[in-house]
Amino acid sequence: MNTPMHNQALSDGPIGQPVDRIDGRLKVTGRATYAYEQNEMGPVAYGYILGATIARGRIDEIDVRQAERAPGVLYVMTYRNAPPQPAFGPPLTATPAEVFTRARPVLATDRIRYYDEPVALVVAMTFEAARSTASLIRVRYTAERGDHDLTSRLSEAYTPTRTNAGLQTDSAVGDFDTAFKAAPVMIDATYYTPYQSHNPMEPHASIACWAGEDLTLYTSAQTLANFRGGLANTLGIPQERIRVVSPYVGGGFGSKLIIHPDAVLATYAARVLQQPVKVALTRQQMYANAGHRAAMQHHVRLGADSTGKLLAMGYDVWSATSRFEEFCEQTAVFARSLYAAPNRLTRHRLVPVDLNRGEWMRSPGEAPGMLAFESAMDELAERLNQDPIAVRALNEPEIDPERGVPFATRSLVACMRTGAERFGWSNRNPVPGRVREGRKLIGMGMAAAIRPNYLGPSRAQVSMSPTGRVLVRLDMTDIGTGTYTILTQVAAQSLGVPMSTVQVQLGDSRFPQTAGSGGSWGAASAGSAVEAACQGLKQQIIQAAGVPYSDGQAQFAGGRIIANGRSERLTDLMMRAAPKGLQAEGGVGPMGDSYKNYSQHSNGAHFVEVSVDMDTAEIRMRRMLSVIAAGRVLNPKTARSQILGGMTWGIGAALMEQTLLDTRHGHFINHDLAEYLIPVNGDIADMDVVFIEEADEKANVLGIKGLGELGVCGAGAAVANAVYNATGIRVREFPISIDKLLPALAARDW
Ligand code: MOS
């Protein structure tokens, strides 16, 4: 099935072409410089963080005398000698902008709020000296009983003021309770999704350098503006004094949207020592100190008539949240736009635990939400004795069912039908447990995908040199998604020049500010900004060119300007009319009227075939296909990679991924990549992606919609539904690990 259907290019230029990664060669030859490897600042000192061994309580005594005398040690920082810092502030979910940039003090008090919270930073001449010296610090704590369980404490749940992204916690249409009770066909199911950890390949790392009152922070960031703002608020200095540099990022998955202790502590230590200091979180430290996805309980209730039409749809989510900084994942929000039903109810509730804050992680909301909800839709289809695609298509809404506005574009049914045909869905036996190959049970499952489309304020600068070289600059990041490549395509296309003449520079806060990489808004936001800047540059070129180019409809193509039947090479034009070069800035604003007047989402459908061993319950992926409709596809190669990654995380969420919390101690137990399981090549089998062509002119000037996180939305449910179709066993506690499947499987008389 490895036959990618490349999107037909919507134009003759580079946009829509499967261009190789511009930064690929640098990366595979080790020449792309990541945060911890930056060396232009000269000799650095190394910091190592010591973490707390209790989850809640206070430090009674911290003895650093022996550590301070250890060889090579330059400085030991604890709450007693750390710089004064602002109070943490209230735990409640602030507005999105406040959340991203709020002060996040570290080593500020003797209070311990979560296990492995930093209690000291040791700075030494070498990393090894810093780490070994940390073991010489003696800490005595008064531990308090922490609360760590979610499911036994739902009665303590409270309603936050809003969910992540400023969305409403609750929604209600019609009368859910009455309609659900009266529905002839009902599904009432509770699912559990576990804590998860982002696990980017590159750990969180920062090098801080001060020059007088000016700070340069080399770090690994998704959004530079958030790091600037967060550091400025934590340090109490103007953000104009802070430069953040992050040209290459080894993955983020949401864990690098805001500052973490590496950035704050490197900054403090470098100021005290008047020397550059680098601090990285170890892989183990990342689990407690770089965010996680919270554990959740999902209660899905679906009521339908006998034909399968939904009469009532209810979705309640309880999520764990930190006591000191609230995070309410918008888990049920997608369900407000997915299927038609006259009576609807969605609610989010939080249960406080003594853990670090939860953070945005790979499709916040939809990833855990669609895992549960699209499993419930599969349960409904089976109860109705109907095909899962038919039930979904029957409940396809004509307009957004809760907002009452039209969809800008919506290709969900087309995705499902295309996928069904290409995957051979008609071969699926709807009766579970019937298809066998030897001692293997074979099953097929599908699920729908939906994800909101976002746009964030972003600006870019584009210049053309006298020799026709194009330089594009913006503080956008490339977190492995292909940003360098697609922005090169956008600029080359807009200016009608070869890609080889375009250089894109990212990851420096000296460049115009963007919304960064997050929420799958990167391509749309940064791409629109580059397009706007190119439009500005073309106006300047036209003005400089003079008549006849300035009094006609000038076109830019083939490295030439064309108007009124005349044309001139841009290189000649620049030498003639702009020997010092030209430069323009442009940008895109926040989401405007088209977001108010239209429901903007991307869609998809996932198809999975698995085998399950009757005797061992070993689940193997056999085939997976995702059909994706996400507006215009800038680059089918990088887009396909994004979707493949999302599908892989979907497999992980269904079958493997979980951060296990020891609820006695509040400690994440499996805090390394040996014990935190994610799918590797051997686990994913044959995968394919098909794009359905769309151009969404409501979304932005380029007609593109976010797709990075769409691949994970619903992907896990398709796997879970395939496991059900193979076995007839529904595991509602994710991941579907062997220990959960085997008892029920062994009880069957195969
Ligand atoms: Mo993404 S979880 O919004 O970086």
Side-chain angles (χ1 to χ4, degrees):
M1 292 260 317
N2 281 313
T3 47
M5 184 180 86
H6 287 299
N7 222 36
Q8 186 110 36
L10 291 168
S11 61
D12 298 330
I15 288 184
Q17 301 300 323
V19 177
D20 287 344
R21 244 168 230 273
I22 303 279
D23 49 335
R25 194 176 294 268
L26 279 180
K27 284 186 170 170
V28 299
T29 55
R31 285 177 296 150
T33 313
Y34 291 84
Y36 205 73
E37 305 164 341
Q38 298 277 2
N39 58 11
E40 67 194 47
M41 71 295 299
V44 298
Y46 296 79
Y48 184 85
I49 297 170
L50 179 68
T53 54
I54 61 168
R56 174 168 161 172
R58 65 175 64 245
I59 299 170
D60 286 333
E61 194 188 329
I62 183 158
D63 182 351
V64 299
R65 285 168 298 179
Q66 211 187 336
E68 283 176 338
R69 288 195 303 268
V73 166
L74 300 169
Y75 182 50
V76 180
M77 182 161 55
T78 69
Y79 77 91
R80 292 188 309 201
N81 62 348
Q85 298 169 57
F88 194 85
L92 296 182
T93 304
T95 65
E98 289 166 341
V99 169
F100 282 131
T101 60
R102 76 185 298 171
R104 292 200 165 79
V106 186
L107 301 180
T109 76
D110 59 352
R111 286 295 309 174
I112 302 298
R113 304 170 298 178
Y114 62 92
Y115 195 98
D116 211 21
E117 180 172 11
V119 295
L121 178 78
V122 178
V123 186
M125 311 280 283
T126 64
F127 173 77
E128 290 74 14
R131 185 173 59 176
S132 70
T133 301
S135 67
L136 301 176
I137 298 173
R138 302 277 165 252
V139 194
R140 218 159 38 76
Y141 301 97
T142 297
E144 296 161 13
R145 232 189 78 85
D147 291 319
H148 289 103
D149 198 34
L150 169 70
T151 49
S152 66
R153 294 175 51 240
L154 299 185
S155 60
E156 296 170 44
Y158 70 95
T159 308
T161 48
R162 51 175 82 83
T163 76
N164 176 46
L167 300 159
Q168 289 180 349
T169 53
D170 292 25
S171 74
V173 176
D175 179 352
F176 171 79
D177 285 329
T178 306
F180 181 66
K181 278 196 202 93
V185 183
M186 274 182 205
I187 293 294
D188 184 334
T190 296
Y191 304 83
Y192 175 83
T193 52
Y195 290 100
Q196 293 181 336
S197 301
H198 306 75
N199 276 309
M201 289 280 279
E202 182 199 17
H204 296 63
S206 297
I207 307 177
C209 312
W210 289 88
E213 293 299 303
D214 292 311
L215 168 69
T216 300
L217 188 81
Y218 301 85
T219 192
S220 185
Q222 293 180 222
T223 307
L224 303 195
N226 293 351
F227 274 55
R228 266 183 115 194
L231 275 178
N233 288 332
T234 306
L235 302 173
I237 64 172
Q239 64 170 18
E240 290 68 38
R241 306 230 76 110
I242 302 172
R243 177 184 172 211
V244 178
V245 182
S246 185
Y248 300 104
V249 180
F253 304 126
S255 74
K256 294 172 180 171
L257 285 165
I258 58 171
I259 54 169
H260 289 99
D262 57 302
V264 176
L265 293 177
T267 300
Y268 292 156
R271 190 154 63 176
V272 171
L273 291 170
Q274 293 289 309
Q275 179 187 353
V277 173
K278 66 161 82 171
V279 178
L281 300 180
T282 64
R283 175 65 58 185
Q284 294 198 337
Q285 288 171 338
M286 287 163 66
Y287 287 77
N289 285 292
H292 57 261
R293 192 197 305 279
M296 293 176 209
Q297 182 166 309
H298 312 247
H299 185 200
V300 185
R301 288 175 292 172
L302 303 172
D305 69 16
S306 57
T307 71
K309 271 237 180 255
L310 281 170
L311 304 169
M313 179 215 90
Y315 187 6
D316 287 280
V317 186
W318 293 264
S319 170
T321 188
S322 164
R323 277 187 204 287
F324 64 90
E325 189 172 359
E326 187 177 82
F327 185 75
C328 183
E329 201 166 322
Q330 67 271 40
T331 304
V333 168
F334 74 88
R336 297 172 187 165
S337 302
L338 187 51
Y339 300 119
N343 302 286
R344 323 169 63 89
L345 184 66
T346 67
R347 293 181 293 206
H348 298 81
R349 300 293 179 264
L350 293 176
V351 176
V353 292
D354 290 290
L355 282 178
N356 196 2
R357 63 160 297 154
E359 292 182 21
W360 313 263
M361 177 170 155
R362 303 184 213 124
S363 311
E366 300 83 27
M370 298 201 86
L371 191 52
F373 193 88
E374 283 293 289
S375 293
M377 283 300 287
D378 199 64
E379 299 203 37
L380 178 68
E382 208 209 3
R383 186 76 51 87
L384 288 160
N385 220 348
Q386 284 194 21
D387 184 81
I389 295 173
V391 174
R392 286 171 172 84
L394 185 65
N395 290 290
E396 173 71 2
E398 277 171 26
I399 57 170
D400 187 291
E402 300 205 12
R403 290 184 55 209
V405 296
F407 294 105
T409 45
R410 175 149 167 140
S411 305
L412 176 57
V413 172
C415 288
M416 294 192 293
R417 300 237 155 99
T418 302
E421 198 188 341
R422 293 179 70 110
F423 199 69
W425 182 252
S426 59
N427 296 326
R428 172 180 180 264
N429 187 330
V431 185
R434 286 291 168 81
V435 182
R436 299 185 191 180
E437 288 178 11
R439 299 293 292 170
K440 304 278 189 208
L441 302 163
I442 312 298
M444 284 163 78
M446 63 79 59
I450 185 171
R451 189 158 197 289
N453 180 51
Y454 297 109
L455 192 72
S458 296
R459 295 191 67 74
Q461 181 193 82
V462 183
S463 63
M464 186 174 281
S465 78
T467 59
R469 309 284 312 170
V470 176
L471 184 60
V472 180
R473 290 175 146 178
L474 56 169
D475 86 349
M476 179 60 184
T477 52
D478 187 331
I479 62 173
T481 45
T483 314
Y484 280 107
T485 312
I486 56 147
L487 294 183
T488 305
Q489 292 174 260
V490 169
Q493 168 114 13
S494 184
L495 298 170
V497 298
M499 285 197 296
S500 58
T501 65
V502 178
Q503 188 190 6
V504 174
Q505 292 183 346
L506 305 176
D508 190 327
S509 64
R510 287 178 172 170
F511 303 153
Q513 184 171 319
T514 70
S517 300
S520 303
W521 59 62
S525 309
S528 298
V530 169
E531 170 64 20
C534 288
Q535 293 296 345
L537 182 65
K538 285 191 282 191
Q539 284 310 313
Q540 291 198 20
I541 295 172
I542 291 166
Q543 290 313 312
V547 179
Y549 304 104
S550 55
D551 61 358
Q553 280 291 326
Q555 306 285 314
F556 289 75
R560 304 181 79 87
I561 183 171
I562 305 147
N564 290 328
R566 294 266 303 274
S567 89
E568 183 175 3
R569 279 160 51 123
L570 288 175
T571 46
D572 296 339
L573 188 161
M574 293 297 291
M575 286 297 193
R576 163 175 75 79
K580 293 190 170 142
L582 293 170
Q583 180 170 307
E585 235 191 82
V588 60
M591 302 188 285
D593 281 349
S594 70
Y595 280 83
K596 289 196 200 82
N597 301 334
Y598 294 93
S599 174
Q600 294 201 13
H601 292 88
S602 49
N603 284 112
H606 305 285
F607 293 81
V608 167
E609 185 180 291
V610 297
S611 73
V612 181
D613 189 291
M614 286 178 191
D615 302 304
T616 67
E618 181 190 20
I619 302 167
R620 301 298 300 177
M621 294 291 297
R622 286 167 45 121
R623 294 190 295 140
M624 185 167 189
L625 167 70
S626 297
V627 183
I628 298 296
R632 187 183 191 185
V633 173
L634 292 175
N635 180 332
K637 186 176 277 185
T638 54
R640 176 183 159 87
S641 284
Q642 287 286 286
I643 299 298
L644 288 175
M647 294 158 74
T648 305
W649 287 120
I651 297 167
L655 303 179
M656 300 175 181
E657 228 188 319
Q658 58 180 331
T659 325
L660 290 161
L661 184 68
D662 183 334
T663 53
R664 296 166 306 170
H665 304 295
H667 178 221
F668 288 124
I669 307 163
N670 55 335
H671 55 200
D672 59 48
L673 289 175
E675 300 292 332
Y676 186 98
L677 301 184
I678 56 175
V680 297
N681 275 335
D683 298 314
I684 59 174
D686 184 0
M687 291 167 92
D688 199 8
V689 183
V690 171
F691 289 104
I692 286 190
E693 180 133 10
E694 278 183 334
D696 189 340
E697 82 275 11
K698 310 285 189 328
N700 47 66
V701 290
L702 297 170
I704 59 180
K705 293 194 286 194
L707 64 75
E709 291 166 300
L710 181 63
V712 75
C713 301
V719 177
N721 297 340
V723 171
Y724 178 80
N725 181 246
T727 62
I729 299 163
R730 181 70 67 174
V731 175
R732 297 190 184 86
E733 186 184 336
F734 291 100
I736 308 172
S737 47
I738 285 174
D739 55 304
K740 293 171 196 157
L741 193 57
L742 190 58
L745 202 58
R748 298 284 168 95
D749 184 15
W750 296 107

